Amino acid sequence: MKQSISYKFTIVLLIIGFMVAVQYNSMKQPEIRDTRDIWAIRQELAEEKKLHSELLSEIRELDRTLSTYQSMNEQNTGKALSETVDKLRQRAGITDRTGPGIVIDVKPSPESIAYGIPITSIAPDLLTRFVNEVNRFKGIDMEIDGKRYSILSSIREINGWTTVNGLNVSTPPFKIKIVSSTISESEKLYNYLLASSIHDDFYLDNLILDISKPVKDVVIHGMAEKYENLYLEELPKGE
């Protein structure tokens, strides 16, 4: 009888000891903490605020467009709609654009030329990183090796060649043209690119960026591809 009681008491003590050990271990392990410094957190916060500001600007622009349509008669509404279509065509990169901007020459580095290192097509991920750097600035239009880059564009590797909109990008040297809304914005972009670490990324691929100073008139061409309306139809008048 005593052995049975002692056996049960031992089992209870083992269970209690196990539970205490688990509780102690869970209290001992620290919570996962954010180990980033204050500047990294401030940088992320600044990016989120910038995105929030851009979204608010787009909402205000859409509200103004809607208000314009509602306040106009039928004839003026058609004119406003036509102007909106023109803006969308420009944003999609279908139309030509001339304005203040910079021209960038993507060239082989002097060392690669001196040592006879062969230069192949620019890597698609490198070109994408450059585009992402430039897209920090809003209201710009870009042309890469004569190919218009817009919100509809894509950078891919096809059969070993880097392409923009499905068209091969030439083996360096080639030019990248960027047009901004004002000469002041072009100067900001120019200074930003001069100090950007993107130069190191290009240099690792035996390439350099030769960035010209901002000029008043840079011409970039619209996309060669034409977009057709496949689904919308104009209703007869009176319907």
Side-chain angles (χ1 to χ4, degrees), residues 49 57 62 166:
K49 292 181 67 175
S57 297
L62 292 174

Side-chain angles (χ1 to χ4, degrees), residues 29-186:
Q29 291 181 351
E31 296 181 358
I32 299 176
R33 301 177 60 186
D34 193 337
T35 58
R36 296 174 298 174
D37 58 30
I38 186 64
W39 291 109
I41 297 175
R42 286 170 64 91
Q43 179 67 24
E44 183 174 346
L45 178 61
E47 291 294 334
E48 292 297 328
K49 292 181 67 175
K50 181 180 179 181
L51 178 60
H52 182 256
S53 177
E54 292 171 358
L55 291 175
L56 288 178
S57 297
E58 292 186 7
I59 291 174
R60 284 195 293 267
E61 180 65 25
L62 292 174
D63 285 340
R64 283 195 294 267
T65 301
L66 180 61
S67 177
T68 300
Y69 291 159
Q70 292 174 343
S71 62
M72 288 182 172
N73 56 35
E74 182 177 351
Q75 183 178 359
N76 291 335
T77 301
K79 181 180 178 181
L81 181 60
S82 178
E83 292 175 353
T84 302
V85 171
D86 291 338
K87 291 180 181 179
L88 292 175
R89 287 172 62 87
Q90 180 177 344
R91 186 177 180 186
I94 297 175
T95 58
D96 297 347
R97 182 179 176 185
T98 302
I102 59 177
V103 178
I104 303 172
D105 287 303
V106 181
K107 303 187 295 186
S109 65
E111 290 79 5
S112 65
I113 296 175
Y115 290 104
I117 300 175
I119 301 297
T120 57
S121 177
I122 184 173
D125 58 337
L126 178 58
L127 188 56
T128 299
R129 286 202 298 273
F130 173 82
V131 170
N132 290 338
E133 284 286 295
V134 173
N135 279 337
R136 294 173 181 267
F137 294 79
K138 300 304 178 182
I140 64 170
D141 285 305
M142 191 183 326
E143 182 183 277
I144 302 173
D145 188 31
K147 302 157 186 64
R148 183 69 172 267
Y149 186 90
S150 71
I151 57 175
L152 301 176
S153 299
S154 61
I155 298 175
R156 296 191 180 94
E157 181 178 340
I158 301 177
N159 296 327
W161 282 90
T162 298
T163 65
V164 174
N165 302 327
L167 302 174
N168 290 352
V169 176
S170 302
T171 299
F174 62 83
K175 295 182 182 294
I176 298 177
K177 298 179 181 180
I178 304 173
V179 173
S180 303
S181 54
T182 63
I183 191 68
S184 176
E185 290 297 318
S186 293

